[in-house]
Amino acid sequence: MIGAGWQLQALFVALAIYAGAALAAVFLPRRRLGLVYAASAAAASLAVVAEISAFFGEVVLKEHLPVGLPGVGLHIRLDGLSAFFGFIVNVGVLMTSIYGAGIKRDDLSKRIEPLYPAFCGAMNAVLLADDAYGFLFFWELMSLSSWALVVSRHDDPESRKAGYVYLVMAAGGTMALLFAFGGLAGASGGYAFDTMRASHLTPLVSALVLGAALIGAGSKAGIMPLHAWLPLAHPAAPSHVSALMSGVMTKVAIYALIRVVFDLLGDPQWWWSLPFILLGATSAVGALLYAVQDQDLKRLLAYSTIENVGIIFAGLGLAIAFKSSNIPPAAGIALAAALIHALNHSWFKSLLFLGAGAVLHATGTKQLDRLGGLIHRMPKTSAFWLIGALAISALPPLNGFVSEWLLFQAVLTGPVFPEPILQFLSPVLGAMLALAAGLAAACFVRAFGTVFLGRPRSPEAATAHEAPFAQTLAIGLLALLCILGGLLGGLTAFALNPLLVEYAGAAAAINTQTGPTPFSLIAFDQGRAIYDAPTIAFFVAVSSFTTMAAIHLFATKKTRRSPAWDCGFPDPSPATQYTASSYSQPLRRVYGGVVYSATETVDMPPPGSLREGHFRIRFSDYLWRFLYVMPANALWAISERFDLIHYLTIRRYLVLMFSTLIVLLVITATFM
Amino acid sequence: MPATIQSFVAQGAQMFFVLAIAPAVTGITRKVKARLMRRRGPSIFQPYRDLLKLVRKDSVLAPNATWFFRSAPYMIFAFTWVAAALVPTLASGLMFNWAADVVALVALIGAARALLALAAMDAGTAFGGIGSSREMMIASLAEPASLLVALTIAFAAGTTRLPEVAQFLIAQPLEIRVSFALAFVALVIVALAENARIPVDNPATHLELTMVHEAMVLEYSGRHLAMIEAAGHLKLTLYISLIICLFLPFGMAPFDGTAGAWAIGIGSYLAKLGLAAVALGVWEVSIAKMRVFRVSEFLGGAFTFAFLAILLEFLSREVQR
């Protein structure tokens, strides 16, 4: 019964389940809406199995369906790259669906449940599309369904603003992708990706396609300076949708970039790497500087997504640079870093967003300064969130460090570049990535410390409750994935080898078979760089447990409780704790003056006065002001000028038409 | 397989050797400081006695302290210990040196630091937050600087594995390279900051609004404090060993070396360690502590030096070969 190519059929079934669930959700009564998540989880599981099988079987399956544009139809293709990203998407969907099953249905449900499977299905379909029309259709479906989910709470003005910015950016992005595919198709207009692969473009057209793809897919992925919608829209959506948008949809955008740049566009030029490296390094550090200041738990996570996308971009940029300089092993390692980081980020970012959702549900707030002490009332969520926070800070032996390590190995190969610019840029990139690693740790120590540790800063936080079982299960499974991904990072990298050979031209730059243990992650060769997470984890675990056991056995394990010392002046009010804003003050003093001209004004009453003191912090977001608000205002001003055209007399309209005709005739006469 | 057993024993010996000598390094520094201030000062073995005393005392926990607060000291200790054991000290090529390269080493130290900064916030006091927030500010500059230093040396040696780096440096002719000199300065600054030494932090102070490390561990007592103190001793030894390994590895025994080579290895390592501890003491009495917000400039300097070092190393590749 199961023949060759069953994987693609299984994916079609999964897509059908997603579509069916979306349709059924429109008609189901509210109390039955949980079925949508059951169906989505089933579809995602089926798809994960099919994609794993397709990936390891190294199959390339094609299908041509007679729907879509007349004469073109719909080309479908499942290859290693789409299977890998499909795995990312469907594992994410599986986890958010388990989480979603634990959500209480309320008035909003009817606006969320029909769109959720549509969104999941659209992301899956984008990965399978093998022609420009199908790709853009599903891409737009993905954008619109997620947009509708963002504005599900449309009575909230912030949600509306987020939705508006997202809609504008998404439309602009799709437009840019349309140009990219137009350039790839060329004059002959072959929509199918196969035709595009075969065609040869002039350098100018390739450059334009690259630029358009960077704008189109980059804005979806959230690379700076096209990130503006992300910190607005991702937090506005329901938490499990936020997790999908941040953890998974950004990866679909990364997939689009890899598909266009590494696959369709042909042999890379060395300078193609420049925008990737520059934008990636800027995003990695820039976004974190916003994240360490932010007061909103979910917005902070959205900023951190921009940072991680920056790291993925840096990896892709290095891969392009090495590939074009004909150094395949280093290209393989850089591409592996990018792909593994995409996988890792989808896990820990989903975990963190789902955890934030649990916190939001338990306390009704996502303001850091109103939370605190949740480790007492939400022990499971806290423990899992801690793992996610440590993983995203790239700390060993968790998964975030694997990709970070690979990326540094790639950076270290930088001096072999023939171009001086790249030689110069690689240590700069190394410095920026190192800075980002330090800032990420600060950002997530601050977030975990203020939300989960300490004492509750508001009554809501003091009376919080643990999330339902389904939600802690989803978060816990993701935490498990973060741990396993860290310990088995070497195997993941090794499994990626076929993809690396195909897209970077590297054969076995990453090896696990020759190392001291089967889990060792080896870059280049064993004598050069090696990292073995299980051994380190084993040593840390053994030494901490034996130390603890020895002390408990031979010394004492007695513990007493008594009021906190706090230098002799403990204060019962939780307001005397450090808050999130005070936590970030040193960082603001160090970095903030330059980056967002943070100014602090202190209004201190004179001694003896009973007046309240005031402390204000002002930020300015230069990117938002100069790249978004000012052009928008300019556009507005221009369109107001042209508004005149709506109020002319009939004679003037006739003159306008006539003069247009004359101009067109002159143009035709001159150029044809 | 006797070779495996031998290397296993050697690795174990190194682990316990580092643990055993670490408190003495702190003791020497304290003694030197005291003598220079014309005090007699405690014996250099006082840190051992302190640890023993703390381990045997009850641990007093704040009402709000959780399982994280109680387990963090052991994890911090373990991360630091494993990191310290991974730096080649006496001899290169030990059994588990391969498990983590220099990038992983920096990250292991980072893991210990993140756990400590989190534990500081658990009790929900003002001082814990102060220490934690300042520590992460300092780390946000110190960690990238140390990573860049590590990458500079690793690049020169063509490998990120510490034993190979040390071997490479031993084989080099004795000469001063500008990039190494810059990296050395950067790493020394980072080591001062990471170990909470003057001018970044004052290890001898309490009850002072300028403190960083001591503010974080203020709520700890008994065996938990002992673990954190021991981790602090280990970290100081680790950084001195790292500086020795990256810049002055001369005398280090190859793993299959003779007994004579091992004797030289142990002797030279102990001598260098002792010298560094004395130098640290002299440095600490001859300089004043900085204001907290001047620290960023000091560490920014380290970051700049490290960046210049890696830039020089990358760009001067053609000249060297």
Side-chain angles (χ1 to χ4, degrees), chain B residues 77-307:
Chain B
F77 173 74
F79 270 113
T80 319
W81 191 15
V82 170
L86 286 169
V87 182
T89 50
L90 313 175
S92 61
L94 292 174
M95 189 171 184
F96 290 104
N97 276 166
W98 53 265
D101 66 349
V102 67
V103 180
L105 187 78
V106 173
L108 281 173
I109 302 169
R113 182 197 310 114
L115 289 172
L116 182 59
L118 281 173
M121 297 180 78
D122 192 43
T125 61
F127 277 98
I130 278 191
S132 174
S133 132
R134 288 179 178 171
E135 171 81 2
M136 290 320 281
M137 180 269 281
I138 291 171
S140 80
L141 283 164
E143 189 179 345
S146 54
L147 204 50
L148 286 182
V149 170
L151 291 182
T152 307
I153 313 286
F155 172 67
T159 168
T160 54
R161 299 181 54 176
L162 275 168
E164 273 74 13
V165 170
Q167 288 298 335
F168 166 83
L169 292 172
I170 292 171
Q172 285 288 97
L174 192 61
E175 59 177 11
I176 292 180
R177 283 158 84 162
V178 181
S179 55
F180 279 28
L182 289 169
F184 177 74
V185 175
L187 191 59
V188 168
I189 296 179
V190 167
L192 290 173
E194 288 275 18
N195 288 292
R197 313 305 300 197
I198 293 175
V200 174
D201 193 3
N202 188 349
T205 184
H206 263 286
L207 302 185
E208 202 187 314
L209 278 171
T210 55
M211 63 191 180
V212 181
H213 179 82
E214 291 300 323
M216 283 198 290
V217 304
L218 205 57
E219 297 303 324
Y220 274 115
S221 58
R223 57 182 182 278
H224 299 135
L225 183 60
M227 285 292 96
I228 288 178
E229 295 272 303
H233 300 320
L234 276 170
K235 199 171 174 185
L236 182 60
T237 307
L238 183 165
Y239 266 96
I240 297 177
S241 305
L242 191 63
I243 291 173
I244 292 174
C245 172
L246 291 183
F247 296 100
L248 311 155
F250 317 105
M252 191 184 283
F255 175 66
D256 46 5
T258 58
W262 274 81
I264 294 174
I266 295 176
S268 65
Y269 171 68
L270 286 179
K272 285 182 271 189
L273 204 58
L275 272 180
V278 172
L280 179 60
V282 175
W283 163 265
E284 286 210 312
V285 289
S286 50
I287 197 160
K289 193 193 161 310
M290 280 180 188
R291 275 179 62 215
V292 164
F293 291 109
R294 300 295 300 275
V295 168
S296 65
E297 292 161 26
F298 186 57
L299 282 168
F303 183 72
T304 315
F305 279 146
F307 178 64

Side-chain angles (χ1 to χ4, degrees), chain A residues 454-455 526 528 560 566 583, chain B residues 61 64 124 132 159 161 219:
Chain A
R455 290 174 286 163
Q526 198 185 330
R528 176 149 168 195
R560 280 190 287 134
D566 209 6
Y583 198 94
Chain B
L61 296 177
N64 200 47
S132 174
T159 168
R161 299 181 54 176
E219 297 303 324

Side-chain angles (χ1 to χ4, degrees), chain A residues 288 392-393 395 436-446, chain B residues 110 113-114 136 143:
Chain A
L288 271 176
I392 201 170
S393 312
L395 296 176
L439 283 170
C443 171
F444 281 94
V445 165
R446 168 179 177 263
Chain B
R113 182 197 310 114
M136 290 320 281
E143 189 179 345

